[in-house]
Amino acid sequence: MFCMAAQSMGYRVCVLDPVADGPAGAVAERQIVAAYDDPAALGELGALCAAVTTEFENVPAPSLQLLTQHCLVRPPADAVAVAQDRIAEKRFVLSCGIDVVPHAVVAKHSDAQSIDSTLFPAILKTAHLGYDGKGQSEVRERGELVAAWQQLRSVHCVLEKKLTLRRELSIIIARGADGTKEYFPVVENAHRRGILAVSMIPAQLDADQAKRARAIAAQIADALQYVGVLCVELFEGDDGHLLVNEIAPRPHNSGHATIEACASSQFVQQVRALAGMPLGDTSLLSPAIMLNLLGDLWFGDDGAPQTPAFERVLAVPGACLHLYGKRDARPGRKMGHVTVLGHSLAIAHQRACRVADVLSLEQPQPLAPDNSQRALQ
Ligand code: ADP
Ligand code: MG
C-alpha cells in the first residue's frame, strides 16, 4: 500500500525483502531479495534510493543506521530501535511522563520470585519480535510463570498486568522533519485472539479524550525526534484513563481505512514525510469500519480450501476490498481487509455487519447508544 501511494505520486520504488514473491515486491519497480542485514544488499539499496523507510517493524535498527550513510532514512533508526524492544519502549514512554501498563521485566530465573503479586493475572510478552499476539502467553498466577517463560525460550520478556479494558484506541500521527505534526482521527479497535479484527474511524470519543490521545502521540513523536508516520496503541481503562500499550514506527493496520476515509491516507502521509513534502490533510471524509481478512476465511468448516464470497461482499454498498496478494493463506495470517464506508458511523456499522455476515466473521462491536440511535440515513 505504501508502494502504491508512492507510485501514484510519481516515485519509483525499490523493495528489499528476503521473500521473493512478497506483496510489496510485486508492486515495486525493483526488488532486492536479501536478508534485512545483508551489507551488500543494503549498500545497493542505499545507492539506488534517495530515501528509505520501513513498512515492517522488525527490520534491524542497525540496518537503518547503515543506510543513513547513503540516503535519507525515515523514521530514524533510534526511534525504530525503541519500538523494537518492549522494555526500552516502556521505559521511554514512562520517561515522557506517560503511563504504561503495570509491568515487570523477566530476564532471569530469579525474576519470577521477586515479581509483585498485584501483576497477576498477567500476560508475558517477549521483549523482541512479537506481533499479532505472537510471543505472548497468559500467566494466571506466579506458579505458572517459569513454565510460560521457558516456553518463550527464556528470552527477555515483560510481564504485564492483564487489564480490564473499556476500549482499545489508536492514534496515528505524522511528523515532518521540521517538527510539523498532523493527526488522523482516533481509531477504536477490537482484537480477537491478540489480532486486530475491527477498526472504527472515528472512535466514539468526546473531544477531551481525543485531545488527550493527540497530546500523548505528540509528546512521543517529539521526544523521539520522529519523522514519518507513527502509531500509538492506547488502552482505555475502566475509569477512562489512557495508557500506552505500544508504539509502531510505521503505517499501522488500524489506519488502513484512511485510504478511503481520509483526505490523505496514512501511506500518502508516509510518502510525503519521506520525500520532505508538506504533510497532507488528515480530515475525515467519511466514517468507516475496517474488517481484517485472516487466512482462516480461505478454509471451510471441514478444513477444505475455499474462496471467500467476495462478490457478495462487494454487493454491500460502501464496501472496498483490499487483498494483498499473499500466495499462501494460513490461519491467523493477514491476507487483506475490507473497509466499509457510510455517511454516518451507524450506516457504516450496519453495512459492516452485513459484510461480517457474508464472511461468517464475528460482528463488529456494537456502537454506543447515542450513535446507534442516530437516524440511519
Ligand atoms: P502485538 O505486538 O502482538 O500487537 P500487543 O501488546 O499489542 O502485541 O497485544 C495484542 C493485544 O492483546 C492487544 O491489542 C490487546 O487486545 C491484548 N492485550 C495485550 N496486552 C494486554 C494487557 N496488558 N491487558 C489486556 N489486554 C492486553
Ligand atoms: Mg499491538
Side-chain angles (χ1 to χ4, degrees), residues 147-216:
W149 184 55
Q150 284 168 344
Q151 209 142 45
L152 295 174
R153 298 168 178 270
S154 308
V155 294
H156 286 195
C157 286
V158 290
L159 184 77
E160 286 183 13
K161 186 174 177 61
K162 186 170 183 198
L163 301 177
T164 312
L165 306 174
R166 181 193 286 176
R167 275 186 301 202
E168 292 195 54
L169 304 170
S170 56
I171 168 107
I172 298 174
I173 183 174
R175 188 175 180 276
D178 61 356
T180 326
K181 290 181 280 292
E182 290 289 346
Y183 308 83
F184 287 96
V186 179
V187 178
E188 190 172 326
N189 302 310
H191 291 75
R192 308 234 161 83
R193 288 171 290 280
I195 307 177
L196 182 66
V198 182
S199 288
M200 189 185 291
I201 185 169
Q204 307 169 87
L205 291 184
D206 62 45
D208 282 346
Q209 193 70 328
K211 199 168 152 189
R212 278 191 281 273
R214 284 195 295 274
I216 288 172

Side-chain angles (χ1 to χ4, degrees), residues 94 97-102 163-169 205 209 212-213 216 234-245:
L94 284 171
I98 300 166
D99 291 337
V100 298
V101 181
L163 301 177
T164 312
L165 306 174
R166 181 193 286 176
R167 275 186 301 202
E168 292 195 54
L169 304 170
L205 291 184
Q209 193 70 328
R212 278 191 281 273
I216 288 172
L234 297 166
F235 287 162
E236 188 181 51
D238 264 346
D239 55 357
H241 188 60
L242 294 179
L243 302 171
V244 169
N245 171 30

Side-chain angles (χ1 to χ4, degrees), residues 86 191 233 245-246 252:
R86 286 191 200 273
H191 291 75
E233 294 182 16
N245 171 30
E246 60 173 349
H252 190 257

